[in-house]
Amino acid sequence: METKIIITDTHTHLYSNEFDYDRNEMIQRAIDAGVSRFFIPAIDSTFTQLMYDLERTYPENIFLMTGLHPTHVKDSYCDELKHVEDELAKRKFYAVGEIGIDLYWDKTHLQEQKRAFRKQIQLAKEYKLPIVIHCRDAFDEVFEILEVEKSSDLFGIFHCFSGTYEQALQAISYNMKLGIGGVVTFKNGKIDQFLNQIDLKHIVIETDSPYLAPVPYRGKRNESSFLVNVLSKLAEIYNLPLEDIAQITTENSKSVFGI
C-alpha cells in the first residue's frame, strides 16, 4: 500500500480576501495534493476572528500563530502588541509571527518596528514558542536584534528567505530554519544557486499564499497546492525524490512547531 506523502505549508494567509470566493475549494485542492498542514501567520488584530473561523472549520489542518506584522507597526502599535499579549495569555498558538522588520514599503516607523520585534521575541521566549520572521530590505537590522536576543530558547523560521549564502548561514546560527517558497523557482531568485550547500535539515517549505506563486504560476494568485512545484524544484536542487523532500521538510516543521 502506498504511503500518502504529508506536505506542510509553514506560511499561508488562508484568510486573505483573495480567497473569499473559493476558499474551501482551494483548501481541498491543497489537501488532495498532499498538503494537509497549514500554519497561519497573523498580521494584526483585524484578522484574528477570520483566523479563528478557519481553525474551527479545519481543526485537523489549521495551526495558528499570533503576532504583529512589521508593515502594520503604526503609531498605535502598542495597542496591537497588547492584543498579541492578551491572545497568548488566553489560548494555544504554535508560533509568534509573522514579526520582524520591513524597510521596503516605508522606513517611517523603523524604531517602532525594532521595538515591536524585540518585544515579540521576548514574548515567544516567555511562552517557549518559535518566531516566524519577516525580513525585507532589513537583514542588518534583523540580525542586529537577533544577536542581542540570541539564546537557546530563541528559534523559529526565517520566512521567505531570499538572502545570500552568508546570510543563510547567519540565520541558521540563530536557530532559524529557512522558509523556502516560490522564489526558489524564479530565474532571478538566486537562492537556487547555493541552496544545495545548505543541509536539508535547515529547510522548511511555504507558499506565503496568495503571494509569490512559483513558476509556472508566477504573477498569479498563489495557493497551497502549488507547494508541489516548490518541492519539484528542491528535488532537482538536492537531487532527491520529491517524496523525500516532503518528508524531511515536514519533519523539520514538526521540530519547529512541536506538532
Side-chain angles (χ1 to χ4, degrees), residues 13 32 40 77 93 105 136 177:
H13 299 271
D32 291 345
I40 315 294
Y77 81 102
F93 289 92
W105 296 107
R136 194 163 186 195
K177 306 283 189 208

mmCIF file of all heavy atoms in Angstrom, residues 13 32 40 77 93 105 136 177:
data_model
loop_
_atom_site.group_PDB
_atom_site.id
_atom_site.type_symbol
_atom_site.label_atom_id
_atom_site.label_comp_id
_atom_site.label_asym_id
_atom_site.label_seq_id
_atom_site.Cartn_x
_atom_site.Cartn_y
_atom_site.Cartn_z
ATOM 1 N N HIS A 13 -1.505 32.666 4.121
ATOM 2 C CA HIS A 13 -2.526 33.609 4.590
ATOM 3 C C HIS A 13 -3.894 33.171 4.049
ATOM 4 O O HIS A 13 -4.483 33.841 3.202
ATOM 5 C CB HIS A 13 -2.194 35.024 4.116
ATOM 6 C CG HIS A 13 -0.881 35.545 4.618
ATOM 7 N ND1 HIS A 13 -0.760 36.220 5.817
ATOM 8 C CD2 HIS A 13 0.364 35.490 4.090
ATOM 9 C CE1 HIS A 13 0.508 36.562 5.999
ATOM 10 N NE2 HIS A 13 1.213 36.124 4.969
ATOM 11 N N ASP A 32 -5.903 17.513 -1.419
ATOM 12 C CA ASP A 32 -5.837 16.458 -2.445
ATOM 13 C C ASP A 32 -4.416 16.303 -2.994
ATOM 14 O O ASP A 32 -4.028 15.202 -3.410
ATOM 15 C CB ASP A 32 -6.790 16.781 -3.605
ATOM 16 C CG ASP A 32 -8.258 16.674 -3.195
ATOM 17 O OD1 ASP A 32 -8.532 16.086 -2.121
ATOM 18 O OD2 ASP A 32 -9.112 17.211 -3.931
ATOM 19 N N ILE A 40 -0.670 29.341 9.901
ATOM 20 C CA ILE A 40 -1.286 30.617 9.516
ATOM 21 C C ILE A 40 -0.664 31.761 10.312
ATOM 22 O O ILE A 40 -0.887 31.874 11.522
ATOM 23 C CB ILE A 40 -2.807 30.590 9.773
ATOM 24 C CG1 ILE A 40 -3.437 29.286 9.285
ATOM 25 C CG2 ILE A 40 -3.464 31.814 9.156
ATOM 26 C CD1 ILE A 40 -3.415 29.069 7.798
ATOM 27 N N TYR A 77 0.895 50.964 17.588
ATOM 28 C CA TYR A 77 1.445 49.603 17.679
ATOM 29 C C TYR A 77 1.406 49.040 19.093
ATOM 30 O O TYR A 77 1.329 47.819 19.270
ATOM 31 C CB TYR A 77 2.864 49.557 17.097
ATOM 32 C CG TYR A 77 3.965 50.035 18.003
ATOM 33 C CD1 TYR A 77 4.789 49.134 18.674
ATOM 34 C CD2 TYR A 77 4.209 51.394 18.201
ATOM 35 C CE1 TYR A 77 5.812 49.558 19.500
ATOM 36 C CE2 TYR A 77 5.222 51.827 19.017
ATOM 37 C CZ TYR A 77 6.025 50.915 19.675
ATOM 38 O OH TYR A 77 7.035 51.347 20.491
ATOM 39 N N PHE A 93 -1.066 28.895 20.817
ATOM 40 C CA PHE A 93 -0.618 29.210 19.465
ATOM 41 C C PHE A 93 0.633 28.380 19.179
ATOM 42 O O PHE A 93 1.269 27.861 20.097
ATOM 43 C CB PHE A 93 -0.303 30.699 19.319
ATOM 44 C CG PHE A 93 -1.532 31.562 19.336
ATOM 45 C CD1 PHE A 93 -2.005 32.097 20.533
ATOM 46 C CD2 PHE A 93 -2.241 31.829 18.181
ATOM 47 C CE1 PHE A 93 -3.150 32.878 20.565
ATOM 48 C CE2 PHE A 93 -3.391 32.603 18.201
ATOM 49 C CZ PHE A 93 -3.843 33.132 19.395
ATOM 50 N N TRP A 105 8.633 49.063 2.049
ATOM 51 C CA TRP A 105 7.480 49.936 1.808
ATOM 52 C C TRP A 105 7.631 51.293 2.478
ATOM 53 O O TRP A 105 7.231 52.316 1.921
ATOM 54 C CB TRP A 105 6.187 49.267 2.301
ATOM 55 C CG TRP A 105 5.859 48.027 1.546
ATOM 56 C CD1 TRP A 105 5.971 46.734 2.001
ATOM 57 C CD2 TRP A 105 5.387 47.926 0.205
ATOM 58 N NE1 TRP A 105 5.603 45.848 1.029
ATOM 59 C CE2 TRP A 105 5.231 46.552 -0.096
ATOM 60 C CE3 TRP A 105 5.070 48.862 -0.781
ATOM 61 C CZ2 TRP A 105 4.778 46.097 -1.320
ATOM 62 C CZ3 TRP A 105 4.612 48.408 -2.011
ATOM 63 C CH2 TRP A 105 4.473 47.043 -2.269
ATOM 64 N N ARG A 136 12.435 42.238 5.061
ATOM 65 C CA ARG A 136 12.508 42.755 3.701
ATOM 66 C C ARG A 136 13.361 44.022 3.690
ATOM 67 O O ARG A 136 13.055 44.994 4.385
ATOM 68 C CB ARG A 136 11.107 43.043 3.165
ATOM 69 C CG ARG A 136 11.126 43.264 1.655
ATOM 70 C CD ARG A 136 9.760 43.135 1.043
ATOM 71 N NE ARG A 136 9.863 43.220 -0.410
ATOM 72 C CZ ARG A 136 8.849 43.427 -1.231
ATOM 73 N NH1 ARG A 136 7.642 43.548 -0.743
ATOM 74 N NH2 ARG A 136 9.021 43.501 -2.537
ATOM 75 N N LYS A 177 15.222 27.999 10.904
ATOM 76 C CA LYS A 177 15.089 27.278 9.635
ATOM 77 C C LYS A 177 14.874 28.317 8.534
ATOM 78 O O LYS A 177 14.400 29.438 8.806
ATOM 79 C CB LYS A 177 13.888 26.334 9.653
ATOM 80 C CG LYS A 177 13.853 25.348 10.807
ATOM 81 C CD LYS A 177 14.783 24.204 10.628
ATOM 82 C CE LYS A 177 14.562 23.125 11.686
ATOM 83 N NZ LYS A 177 15.794 22.363 11.955
#
